[in-house]
Amino acid sequence: DPRYSKAILSAVDYGCTEEVITIVSMLSGDAILLTPSSKREEAISSRKHLISSEGDHITYLKIFRAYKQSNNLTEFCMRNFLHQQHMKFAVEVRKQIMELCKRIDIKIQSCGSQTTYESVRMALSRGFFTNVAKLTREGHYITLDFRQKVSIHPSSVMFSTKPEVLIYNELIVTQKSYIRDLSLVDANW
């Protein structure tokens, strides 16, 4: 996806290619979060320690890092309500992207485990510049490209918040239009 490529290339400028590659790998497959309706509260509660107030993208980064540090991957996925096969796919995609980047001399750098990941969100915003939603005075979001009224998807960690500007990975249209896989961004970016 050109958006992912642009985000990775932009990450070089911000010294966070490792983080952006990890997030892109998590977005490249099917959804990793498993939230059965019968155990919704339990699933959400089990992942609280992995949630980032900066959005879904940083949450995916935290999930990936915790997954890789786990001694028992199956148990980790079950305890945190994650699709293990989708996590394995993300690991494989990440490995392939890392190899491609090394082959064409893209410097792999990490901004480390920070308390905030502003540089990562800035790199993502450069890749997802066409996928921006802004909060209106009326209290709903509108996409900046097609001026479409959208809502934050209930599966997002940002569902109960109202940040001014968001980037999103996916627009889903059912009875309402939802944006999913979000990150908080600064309007100046």
Side-chain angles (χ1 to χ4, degrees):
D1 188 317
R3 296 173 303 158
Y4 297 164
S5 299
K6 174 70 174 167
I8 292 169
L9 293 173
S10 297
V12 173
D13 298 335
Y14 296 105
C16 59
T17 46
E18 186 272 326
E19 288 82 4
V20 172
I21 289 170
T22 300
I23 292 166
V24 165
S25 70
M26 295 287 275
L27 295 172
S28 294
D30 292 327
I32 57 157
L33 302 178
L34 177 63
T35 310
S37 55
S38 62
K39 295 185 177 185
R40 181 172 170 69
E41 294 303 316
E42 185 181 346
I44 291 168
S45 176
S46 72
R47 293 189 292 257
K48 275 198 192 290
H49 67 287
L50 300 169
I51 300 292
S52 170
S53 61
E54 294 175 89
D56 301 314
H57 298 126
I58 304 303
T59 298
Y60 294 154
L61 176 64
K62 290 175 75 173
I63 288 170
F64 185 89
R65 287 180 169 170
Y67 174 81
K68 290 297 284 180
Q69 291 177 356
S70 177
N71 293 328
N72 185 336
L73 300 179
T74 301
E75 195 268 324
F76 177 83
C77 288
M78 287 176 56
R79 184 177 68 239
N80 293 289
F81 290 84
L82 304 173
H83 286 282
Q84 187 169 10
Q85 287 305 112
H86 300 180
M87 288 299 299
K88 286 179 182 178
F89 181 80
V91 168
E92 189 56 37
V93 169
R94 182 180 182 275
K95 183 177 159 188
Q96 291 173 16
I97 295 172
M98 288 285 207
E99 289 171 4
L100 285 169
C101 287
K102 288 175 186 172
R103 193 177 321 150
I104 59 173
D105 295 324
I106 292 176
K107 190 173 182 182
I108 306 297
Q109 301 175 46
S110 174
C111 59
S113 55
Q114 306 171 348
T115 53
T116 66
Y117 290 94
E118 185 174 288
S119 58
V120 174
R121 292 183 295 116
M122 288 176 82
L124 290 171
S125 71
R126 288 175 75 184
F128 289 78
F129 68 94
T130 59
N131 292 21
V132 180
K134 185 171 181 18
L135 186 63
T136 64
R137 289 184 192 151
E138 294 80 31
H140 62 269
Y141 286 94
I142 192 159
T143 62
L144 295 188
D145 56 357
F146 296 110
R147 313 292 297 164
Q148 183 175 358
K149 185 178 176 181
V150 294
S151 299
I152 295 175
H153 195 274
S155 67
S156 173
V157 300
M158 302 193 86
F159 179 65
S160 59
T161 64
K162 289 271 190 182
E164 183 186 346
V165 182
L166 296 165
I167 56 170
Y168 60 92
N169 185 56
E170 189 174 22
L171 176 68
I172 302 165
V173 180
T174 57
Q175 294 161 346
K176 277 175 87 172
S177 296
Y178 291 102
I179 50 176
R180 190 165 71 179
D181 298 332
L182 315 170
S183 274
L184 175 66
V185 294
D186 188 306
N188 295 326
W189 301 348

